[in-house]
Amino acid sequence: MSLPLRTSRLLVRRFRPEDASALAAYRTLPEVARYQGWSAPVTEDEARRLVREFTAADPDAPGWFQYAVEERESGVLVGDVGVRLDANGMQADLGFTLAPAAQGRGYATEAVRAVLGDLFERRGLRRVSAVCDARNHASARLLERVGFRREGMRPAYTWLKGEWTDDVLYGLLAEWWRD
Ligand SMILES: CC(C)(COP(=O)(O)OP(=O)(O)OC[C@H]1O[C@@H](n2cnc3c(N)ncnc32)[C@H](O)[C@@H]1OP(=O)(O)O)[C@@H](O)C(=O)NCCC(=O)NCCS
């Protein structure tokens, strides 16, 4: 267990109960929820329930673990990174969200690189996969920036918020990460 992960501008750490208000504040925004599995609004009660779930999870056990991303200078929660470790312990799925005020500054890239470094270098994973909505260009740019390769597209695969959406599949192997 290596948390927190420290980068030049961020602390990637476990969620704490006091994160619930900040989590609700960005997850409730329609532009943040647009391509995500949850729907806005997200109430403070819902965020408190989520944070209880996040704090109870084990990053080294199969299933989802949500990392809190804190800006070191301000101590503010600016987003989260989710990792779903497969039952085989050798591969994982990745997701990420930033509050709009923290976007466009490379924070997601910095946080995701820290998490991937931990997954590949300390925990020895072989593969990390990610899926994004074909219209989510910011997410695709982030994935490609950190080394993911586009592996395919699934037309009309996900029924999301009243419409069929196209999924783009991404993968990153340990050997590509090392290179
Ligand atoms: C996906 C998401 C996290 C990407 O956020 P982001 O701010 O674009 O990504 P980063 O924090 O890595 O910042 C990169 C951007 O900041 C710019 N930037 C500015 N300063 C930078 C720095 N010091 N280092 C790196 N990039 C920097 C980059 O040029 C880049 O801009 P561009 O993509 O327009 O070229 C964000 O759009 C989001 O939270 N969306 C809503 C949730 C969502 O859809 N999640 C994905 C589900 S699959």
Side-chain angles (χ1 to χ4, degrees), residues 36 96-98 103-109 136 138-139 141 145:
Q36 303 271 26
F96 34 75
T97 303
L98 273 189
Q103 293 178 14
R105 300 161 69 180
Y107 278 176
T109 300
N136 195 349
S139 175
R141 281 198 300 276
R145 197 179 299 124

Side-chain angles (χ1 to χ4, degrees), residues 9-176:
R9 298 178 294 174
L10 305 170
L11 204 58
V12 178
R13 58 166 174 76
R14 280 184 167 278
F15 265 88
R16 301 193 285 249
E18 56 271 30
D19 293 323
S21 297
L23 180 73
Y26 65 77
R27 284 213 175 191
T28 201
L29 301 171
E31 69 267 32
V32 170
R34 182 168 179 212
Y35 302 122
Q36 303 271 26
W38 76 81
S39 293
V42 174
T43 63
E44 293 231 1
D45 268 357
E46 172 65 2
R48 273 193 287 275
R49 190 192 63 73
L50 284 170
V51 169
R52 275 197 298 276
E53 228 176 80
F54 298 164
T55 52
D58 176 356
D60 294 318
W64 279 104
F65 182 80
Q66 216 73 23
Y67 297 81
V69 179
E70 177 185 310
E71 184 181 49
R72 284 173 58 183
E73 192 182 16
S74 62
V76 168
L77 179 82
V78 293
D80 54 89
V81 174
V83 171
R84 191 191 67 82
L85 185 65
D86 192 272
N88 67 19
M90 296 184 286
Q91 64 193 108
D93 298 309
L94 178 76
F96 34 75
T97 303
L98 273 189
Q103 293 178 14
R105 300 161 69 180
Y107 278 176
T109 300
E110 200 168 306
V112 165
R113 281 202 178 115
V115 170
L116 290 172
D118 189 57
L119 295 176
F120 286 125
E121 292 158 28
R122 185 181 66 85
R123 290 163 62 180
L125 265 66
R126 174 77 196 285
R127 159 183 267 278
V128 177
S129 308
V131 179
C132 81
D133 187 302
R135 299 164 299 178
N136 195 349
H137 303 296
S139 175
R141 281 198 300 276
L142 164 58
L143 289 166
E144 288 171 18
R145 197 179 299 124
V146 299
F148 278 82
R149 297 188 192 172
R150 191 179 154 129
E151 298 178 317
M153 217 263 274
R154 293 190 296 212
Y157 188 83
T158 302
W159 176 252
L160 184 74
K161 296 168 187 164
E163 59 182 336
W164 286 106
T165 60
D166 301 341
D167 286 353
V168 182
L169 311 179
Y170 280 95
L172 177 57
L173 299 185
E175 49 268 44
W176 305 341

